[in-house]
Amino acid sequence: MTPAIPPAAAPLEVTDESAEKSTTSPAPEANESRSPGQLAWRRFKRDRTGVISAVIVIFFFVIALAAPLIAKVYGKNPYTTYASQDPSLLDAFAYPSGPNGGMSSQFWFGVEPQLGRDVFTFLLYAIRNSLGIALAASVITMVLGVVIGVTAGYLGGRTDYFVGRLIDILLSFPSTLFFIAFMPVVYGLFVAPDDNIPTSLRATCLILVLAGFGWASIARLLRGQVLGLREREFVEAAKVTGASSRRIVFKELLPNLWTPIIIQATLMVPMYVTTEAGLAFLGVGMIDPTPDWGVMIQRGAQFYTNDLTFMLFPGVSMVIFVLAFNLLGDSVRDALDPKSKR
């Protein structure tokens, strides 16, 4: 009798199954769980527009921080009237005598009409001052909005009612007209009408007024979010275990509010940049000779018919920064909340 030959297909089937498993099973690294922050960072890195906008925004902030060092290396400052040292920089009509606003190897962006100040260093310090005011006002606004909004939403009752009515009153003001009318009143609280207002006082009052009337929208948004979160099971479970109100707010509520907080912060900075520049242009914010985007545009508007250069550089730079920051805010929103992307 011929001995039975064992089938050869059995080992082949095992090999095929193992091969199939090895090809279909994901790598161990892919199976590792990622935090929401890591997932948002991955989505953001894939957004080319967001990455480019972030680079532009970081570039502006680096320029703002390094403005004194750059000016020292460059050898100029924004306050010296170089035309008084070299009258040939301006013509008989007090406009730059050289082409393109007097641009040269000595003055990279030209000189200012009438006074002959260096435009390049003036722009550096204008970016520094404008971004500093906008960033400080944004930080204070976010702190006030988060504290008041979360407190009102969590406590409810009379506190929520009072805060809600206060928010309604603040949001009913026409902000631009109110700033124009209110800023001189704020200055008058600290200095006499005939005295010069220090630059530091102008900047401080501007920051406080912007933040004082800007927190209402953030507080309303977070109040609505907290009203929905405080009835969730995890908050009720924390209350049952005897957790304090402080622990519930910081450990349970705030971690679920970081997305709207970050999104609002990225949209608030460019809004304050344009608001601060508008107030400076109208003469109720920073004023000449303090370098500021609004001051440069206001000064440049007087000479644009004969010399567009002095108005061109601050205008273009501010548009680029605001556009980049707005695009960055959109990218951050899409990365943190993919459902919002259409």
Side-chain angles (χ1 to χ4, degrees), residues 27 52 63 160 196 212 305:
I52 295 175
I63 290 296
D160 184 33
N196 292 328
T305 54

Side-chain angles (χ1 to χ4, degrees), residues 68-204:
L69 178 62
I70 297 174
K72 184 176 181 179
V73 174
Y74 178 62
K76 303 284 191 307
N77 67 77
Y79 303 103
T80 302
T81 54
Y82 293 96
S84 61
Q85 303 175 4
D86 185 5
S88 63
L89 294 175
L90 302 178
D91 58 17
F93 301 97
Y95 287 100
S97 57
N100 301 319
M103 295 175 61
S104 64
S105 59
Q106 186 179 5
F107 298 95
W108 293 355
F109 287 2
V111 294
E112 179 189 10
Q114 290 188 346
L115 299 179
R117 293 179 294 193
D118 178 68
V119 177
F120 177 71
T121 54
F122 204 91
L123 179 61
L124 288 179
Y125 278 83
I127 295 174
R128 178 184 178 89
N129 293 334
S130 294
L131 293 188
I133 292 174
L135 189 61
S138 299
V139 171
I140 297 176
T141 300
M142 294 305 302
V143 172
L144 290 175
V146 170
V147 172
I148 297 175
V150 173
T151 302
Y154 179 72
L155 296 180
R158 294 183 178 180
T159 302
D160 184 33
Y161 178 82
F162 175 77
V163 173
R165 302 296 74 78
L166 179 60
I167 291 174
D168 292 336
I169 293 173
L170 291 178
L171 293 179
S172 66
F173 283 110
S175 57
T176 303
L177 294 177
F178 186 79
F179 287 149
I180 296 173
F182 192 68
M183 288 305 299
V185 178
V186 176
Y187 296 146
L189 297 175
F190 300 97
V191 297
D194 298 333
D195 294 341
N196 292 328
I197 304 173
T199 301
S200 58
L201 179 61
R202 282 186 176 273
T204 302

